[in-house]
Amino acid sequence: MGLVKADGKPAATSKPSPRKYTRDLTGLLAELNDQQPKARRWAARDLVAYGEEAVGALCERLRTEPEPSVREALFDALLAIGGDAVVEGLIPLLRGEDAGLRNGAVEVLGQLPEAVGPRMEVLLADPNPDVRLFGLDILRDLPHPEAPRWLMGVLEQDPHVNVVTVALDRLAEVGTPEMTPAVRAVKDRFPDEPFVAFAVDTALDRILGGE
Amino acid sequence: MARAAATQPRCGELHITDAEFDRFRDFFYRKTGIRFEDSKRYFVDKRLIQRIEGTGHRGFRDYFAFMRFQASGEEFQELVNLMTVNETYFFREEYQLRCMVSDLLGEVLHYKRAGETVRIWSMPCSTGEEPYSIALYLLEYWDLIDRVDVEIVASDIDTRALERAKQGLFSKRSVSHLPRWILGKYFEPAPGGYHRLCDDLRASVNFRRINLCDLNETKGMRNFDLIFCRNLLIYFDEASQRLAVQTLYDALNPGGFVLLGHSESMSRITSVFKVRRFRDAVVYQRSA
Amino acid sequence: MRRALIVDDAVTVRLYHRKILEEAGFQVEEAENGVEALEKALVTPYDLLLVDVNMPKMDGYTLLREVRSTPELEGVPAIMISTESEKHDREHAYRVGANLYLVKPVRPEAFRLLAALMARNGESR
């Protein structure tokens, strides 16, 4: 008893369950619906190797997957694959009922600037303000040169107070001095809303560095 | 929110205004979960100015925009390195070792079969202070060590650090937090003011070179009950963090625990672990 | 002094709600998402939680479900503050354990009053 070393003993085997499935696309797609969460996690991870071919099945599984650890593996796999098919598969989740799925999709989309970029203007013009808010969440860390221009568009045109104040919140972090007239002008669009005044003042203070 | 101007360092023309400090502080908090109090103002300003000058920017505004939009994220990581102090010594963050013996191992034994080995992974182990501290703590502060087998695996990506860990030679500073009697019991003096760890202890830890972000290297790491992963994830970019926590999750037995460094949190990386609070520490558990 | 935890990923919202709650006599702390809120709430006993819906890593509904199923936290009063005003959003919030559902942006006077009414008195600890 006490401190022991497992020298000589081989490390535990990598795949925990006996191989019920072949490790090709057909086998992995079947394993994605296995009873065991562990098996589904491994299927998601291994499906990354199949790229776009696996995207449809991974997105489909997300809609019904109850287990958080498998959900994360599915999102991670989609992020690793990336590209247009992933973005097309994830955007519909933003309209879903499940807040966990919506926010998971936002996080992945926010890291796929090239594929998300061309769809940003459509998202920010969606008739549903909640979808526009998700657009702003995606934009938050999106390393894309157009990001400030999109934010300014929301600031100047979006009719919904919550969408505009979230744009102000983002500009408090990334805004530049030439944006200040547009930031100031928001107060006039929502004169009776104390939170708007507060958000404008906060953004101005941060953008101008308090000088 | 007024802060005394006298506490702000001035290097030539450069200084950080209150609003700039707030802008940086909120950004850093959002990304890392670390929130600087006003009392850290001098510390933060000094390092910001150092990087503004180091990158050849004219002032905070230009520098912040550069750092914030840099696609590689290198400058942000540079700031993380500067703003966090990472050093290793015996019994660092001892409250977690206390938590291990007073609460975590008890829960672990609850789900294990009688006679089964408890497995602990210490990573990154650097020059060995952490895994040896775990070993010392188990021997000296855990009553059940006489009745339970414990295996400690320690890994790092740096082979030179691993070599030094195996040699077991430690500086005065490295052992300065150890109780004197433990130092006397397990170490002997070595030339140059160093302390040499006894052979039994050195032989009790299994050192391996592993890159946490390489799936092929981590596939064999399974069935652990505790993982110490302190002061590592904070230095990873987002993609590597995601990959690393999945690896930690798979390496744990259901019901096993992860311990992070005191300024680190899973909250910016994942919700896959259950947050557990014990008397001495907040830790993360893989659900049973 | 009564303690409140604001859980929201927008710094402007946190600052605004902080200002209102401090005027109402609360001592205020902040969390950026549900996981951080759990980390903090397990360490500090709060008298009131103010919870946004859409946040990274852990959303507000999931947070409230966790809070209500954690023995140390199950009794904390929680106000959910959302941008979503549909009937089913409201129902969902109450189903997972919200004590009150408000739609953003909050009106300062009403918010101050409701927070003061909903919070535990701070002396029960």
Side-chain angles (χ1 to χ4, degrees), chain B:
Chain B
M1 292 265 270
R3 283 170 282 248
T7 63
Q8 295 169 17
R10 286 172 179 273
C11 307
E13 293 295 298
L14 273 179
H15 77 282
I16 309 293
T17 67
D18 289 355
E20 287 167 345
F21 176 73
D22 285 340
R23 191 177 188 181
F24 174 73
R25 163 161 72 177
D26 285 326
F27 168 76
F28 200 78
Y29 166 69
R30 178 166 76 78
K31 300 297 280 184
T32 66
I34 297 174
R35 184 165 189 88
F36 297 116
E37 298 306 321
D38 286 351
S39 58
K40 283 274 186 137
R41 178 71 188 268
Y42 181 83
F43 170 92
V44 172
D45 283 10
K46 213 172 115 186
R47 279 155 185 78
L48 273 175
I49 289 170
Q50 184 185 333
R51 289 314 299 160
I52 293 169
E53 288 175 338
T55 53
H57 285 86
R58 278 176 304 155
F60 173 84
R61 195 185 285 154
D62 296 343
Y63 170 75
F64 185 79
F66 156 74
M67 182 270 295
R68 172 68 178 67
F69 289 106
Q70 189 185 37
S72 70
E74 277 171 52
E75 185 56 27
F76 171 68
Q77 280 307 321
E78 190 62 41
L79 275 174
V80 172
N81 296 348
L82 270 181
M83 298 288 175
T84 54
V85 186
N86 194 8
E87 43 175 3
T88 179
Y89 49 84
F90 278 89
F91 284 18
R92 182 177 185 204
E93 291 165 20
E94 189 182 350
Y95 65 94
Q96 295 194 332
L97 299 171
R98 266 201 308 274
C99 184
M100 167 179 78
V101 295
S102 59
D103 292 300
L104 303 183
L105 287 171
E107 290 215 7
V108 164
L109 289 183
H110 210 73
Y111 68 69
K112 291 192 92 81
R113 290 190 307 269
E116 214 180 334
T117 302
V118 170
R119 302 187 72 227
I120 300 175
W121 181 8
S122 158
M123 160 259 322
C125 67
S126 182
T127 43
E129 283 86 342
E130 180 176 277
Y132 290 138
S133 293
I134 295 168
L136 286 171
Y137 226 82
L138 291 171
L139 291 173
E140 290 300 332
Y141 299 103
W142 194 45
D143 296 343
L144 293 174
I145 191 66
D146 296 330
R147 286 190 274 152
V148 179
D149 279 343
V150 180
E151 180 190 354
I152 303 173
V153 178
S155 73
D156 203 284
I157 194 171
D158 180 350
T159 49
R160 275 176 314 176
L162 286 170
E163 277 316 309
R164 285 183 52 199
K166 287 183 205 165
Q167 282 170 6
L169 209 54
F170 297 98
S171 70
K172 202 168 147 189
R173 199 196 54 76
S174 174
V175 299
S176 62
H177 287 73
L178 282 177
R180 191 167 284 274
W181 62 271
I182 286 191
L183 195 61
K185 187 170 169 185
Y186 293 97
F187 293 80
E188 57 185 37
Y194 281 82
H195 299 267
R196 184 188 302 282
L197 188 65
C198 68
D199 290 350
D200 280 357
L201 245 288
R202 286 199 290 130
S204 71
V205 174
N206 187 352
F207 288 99
R208 294 190 204 168
R209 198 212 81 99
I210 289 171
N211 176 359
L212 185 60
C213 292
D214 187 329
L215 271 181
N216 286 319
E217 293 186 23
T218 56
K219 271 191 173 174
M221 302 302 276
R222 287 282 174 280
N223 306 321
F224 285 96
D225 301 299
L226 302 183
I227 300 178
F228 286 80
C229 181
R230 306 194 292 188
N231 307 305
L232 176 69
L233 296 180
I234 186 138
Y235 301 108
F236 282 5
D237 65 24
E238 230 165 292
S240 307
Q241 286 180 339
R242 287 179 85 114
L243 184 62
V245 294
Q246 297 300 330
T247 298
L248 297 182
Y249 185 91
D250 287 320
L252 279 176
N253 285 321
F257 298 94
V258 186
L259 297 93
L260 300 181
H262 75 282
S263 57
E264 291 181 299
S265 151
M266 285 289 184
S267 68
R268 299 301 186 273
I269 311 174
T270 181
S271 59
V272 77
F273 296 103
K274 191 170 173 56
V275 185
R276 293 285 308 275
R277 188 242 171 147
F278 294 97
R279 199 180 50 216
D280 294 306
V282 169
V283 303
Y284 303 89
Q285 183 174 33
R286 173 171 172 173
S287 299

Side-chain angles (χ1 to χ4, degrees), chain C residues 77-92:
Chain C
I79 302 180
M80 189 156 236
I81 310 175
S82 169
T83 55
E84 298 169 353
S85 52
E86 307 271 335
K87 187 159 161 270
H88 65 88
D89 300 316
R90 196 175 288 271
E91 285 168 358
H92 191 180

Side-chain angles (χ1 to χ4, degrees), chain C residues 106-120:
Chain C
V106 297
R107 312 299 303 184
E109 307 75 27
F111 183 54
R112 199 176 295 131
L113 200 66
L114 288 168
L117 276 173
M118 301 290 300
R120 288 197 288 218

